[in-house]
Amino acid sequence: MSEEKSLNFIEDIIEEDIKNGKYKSIVTRFPPEPNGYLHIGHAKAICLNFGLTKKYPGYTNLRFDDTNPVTEETEYVDSIKADIKWLGFEWKNERYTSDYFEQLYQLAVKLIEKGLAYVDDSTPDEIAEGKGTPTKAGIATPFRERSIEENLRLFKEMRDGKYKDGEKVLRAKVDMANPNMQMRDPLLYRIKHAHHHRTEDTWCIYPMYDFAHGQSDSIENITHSICTLEFVPHRPLYDWLIEKLEIFPSHQYEFARLNLTYTVMSKRKLLQLVNEKIVSGWDDPRMPTISAFRRRGYTPESIRNFCERVGVQKRENLIDLSLLEFFIREDLNKKALRRMAVLDPVKLVLTNYPEGKTEEMETENNPEDINASHRTIPFSRELWIEKEDFMEEPPKKFFRLGPGRAVRLKSAYIIQCTGFKKDDAGNIIEIQAEYLPESKSGHDNSGLKVKGTIHWLSIPHAKTAEIKLYNRLFKIEDPANAEGDFKKYINPDSLQVIPHAFIEPSLSTAKVGEYFQFIRKGYFCLDKDSSTDKLVFNRTVTLKDTWAKEKDK
RNA sequence: UGCCCGGUGGUGUAACGGUAGCACAACAGAUUUUGAUUCUGUUUGCCCAAGUUCGAAUCUUGGCCGGGCAACCA
């Protein structure tokens, strides 16, 4: 039975709007500022805005909110477009708020003509002072009563470059005593003699968010303008401007932004991590950016499923990283090709296996995918296995190798441990075992049942690679809201590099964008910084590890 | 202390006046040539109080708690 999927509150509103004939189709937009890379929180907004117009008739625009030339760059524009496409969405129109600078200017003139905006010569401090506090009404500046003619002239002069940065601003004339701080004559335009990434040096005045965002929504006939909760107090101003300007009545709706445990989600903080070289860049796989998740081996499907699961609502939330990990494991379990790799090797010698002999062992590429077929892996007398798969004095519940114990070598033979060697420091440097010829995988007549199966690599055939293991970037769940500088909570062990791990021969042709599961070790992908003579693999996520928990008991 | 928003298991999210459900996490067991996957089961919740009603997570009122708002940022 197909159960009714419940609607989120925005879908409720849209269904109502369509039902009562307010709209036949809808228009949404995703409005990033090109001043940083997109992160997983943006992915939620992208899935919401684009998802809505997949579900209901209509389309979604991509609009770069580029009203602050000093922080915005073309590099960010390009990364944002790449990330949205990778997530699997298509915008109808690619727009820039800067496309509307002339129209916006004319709207400002219209507001002045209506006596609803004025040029203020006050300093930033004086303006802040005049705004009052949340509990104390603001005080009007003397410039508030300038004539329309004078305001028109001064605003034109601002545009013409007659004034220096900060000398004058244009403000809306609303209500200095309004209990909503946003309504106390908000700034509309400021002077910035700065080079803009698109309009270059055409303008020296730039609209503020409040006089750009809503007006751009109207220009594009956005029916449902969806943003995050911090803009709720701006909505009365958004509506006031639409009313006074007599433009298309877009409506703003707000939802709670996504927060994830063990990371930070503000562009300012992420930029700090990049600038201070705490991470290698915006796409360092430890970052919560979309490009980092891509590089780390996350799939677009897993991120979309995650965004779908976390839902859309108005309450603050802090989502468990384990939920994201669940979705990537779920997706990769179906897709990833199984391969063998030994990260922390110790030598295993099969004393009764002929020297110089090699066999090709057949094994499945993905037991979850019947179309994934099989491959072969070379097997010989001397093998690499993981150090952690052998214990000198194993406890009862340890199902791996120990003196006298037997295990299955995955897709090969059952072996029984007959001895081991240590170096002077007491480290185990070699393990000896005998194999059971009649136990070969697929032709097993041994009648033996063993509890454990381990992975292995033939020493003469194995290739090497660098492997990078990532852990959470922060030591605590909510670094953004913890006391003091968030950087003091950075996890010093968030990156572990294994310079010389062993990988099976077939992995030497791995390509960026392919997904692998290194059996028993986790999901991995080839890093973009790999070269033909040096392969680098990133661990996307570990496998669930029940033994790790058991071990700790 | 002005205005605004919000409170459902550990974390998220449903319920639209009628049995509090789902996912993740946790725990227990079965299966397993990946201690993975899969399967089965278990634990844990409506912020409080009063009111309306045959019946309240849902409606009303009053509390309590959390968050936001005073950038020439968005």
Side-chain angles (χ1 to χ4, degrees), chain A residues 19-20 30 32 38 41 43 59 65 77 81 120 122 124-125 147 184 233 241 262 291 327 380 431 506 521 526 541:
Chain A
K19 203 176 91 188
N20 69 22
F30 175 64
L38 260 25
Y59 60 85
D65 223 338
V77 170
K81 285 158 68 174
D120 190 350
S122 308
D125 283 349
S147 69
R184 321 244 261 230
L241 284 165
Y262 301 106
S291 51
F327 282 107
S380 67
I431 298 159
S506 73
K521 297 270 73 174
L526 192 70
V541 66

Side-chain angles (χ1 to χ4, degrees), chain A residues 393-437:
Chain A
E393 290 169 27
K396 192 112 197 338
K397 282 185 166 175
F398 187 79
F399 303 148
R400 308 173 190 179
L401 227 38
R405 295 211 184 180
V407 292
R408 158 81 60 185
L409 293 175
K410 170 76 181 168
S411 299
Y413 299 98
I414 292 174
I415 60 165
Q416 184 164 30
C417 180
T418 52
F420 59 92
K421 268 193 223 166
K422 283 186 179 179
D423 65 11
D424 296 339
N427 302 306
I428 291 163
I429 51 164
E430 184 182 304
I431 298 159
Q432 289 124 20
E434 290 184 354
Y435 85 113
L436 276 65

Side-chain angles (χ1 to χ4, degrees), chain A residues 22 32 59 93 136 154 339 350:
Chain A
K22 185 173 177 186
Y59 60 85
N93 302 113
K136 203 180 88 208
L154 292 171
R339 293 292 183 262
L350 303 180

Side-chain angles (χ1 to χ4, degrees), chain A residues 264-305:
Chain A
V264 292
M265 210 69 92
S266 98
K267 275 199 264 185
R268 205 196 95 251
K269 291 194 176 83
L270 296 176
L271 181 63
Q272 221 177 319
L273 296 176
V274 172
N275 285 343
E276 295 174 22
K277 312 270 188 230
I278 292 166
V279 296
S280 66
W282 283 100
D283 68 347
D284 184 304
R286 291 167 293 177
M287 292 279 273
T289 56
I290 295 174
S291 51
F293 281 120
R294 174 169 62 232
R295 181 173 178 182
R296 182 163 170 162
Y298 273 69
T299 61
E301 290 78 3
S302 68
I303 292 177
R304 279 191 254 119
N305 292 343

Side-chain angles (χ1 to χ4, degrees), chain A residues 64-127:
Chain A
F64 290 97
D65 223 338
D66 54 352
T67 59
N68 186 4
V70 300
T71 58
E72 295 155 6
E73 293 173 25
T74 306
E75 177 198 344
Y76 296 130
V77 170
D78 296 338
S79 74
I80 288 167
K81 285 158 68 174
D83 288 344
I84 298 171
K85 282 185 193 164
W86 178 76
L87 273 177
F89 297 105
E90 281 176 43
W91 52 89
K92 168 93 169 184
N93 302 113
E94 178 182 334
R95 295 283 163 77
Y96 296 78
T97 301
S98 55
D99 294 341
Y100 311 136
F101 280 172
E102 183 60 38
Q103 287 172 81
L104 261 13
Y105 177 84
Q106 295 303 336
L107 287 174
V109 168
K110 182 173 179 181
L111 211 55
I112 296 171
E113 286 169 341
K114 286 186 140 192
L116 294 171
Y118 62 95
V119 173
D120 190 350
D121 300 0
S122 308
T123 65
D125 283 349
E126 287 166 346
I127 290 176

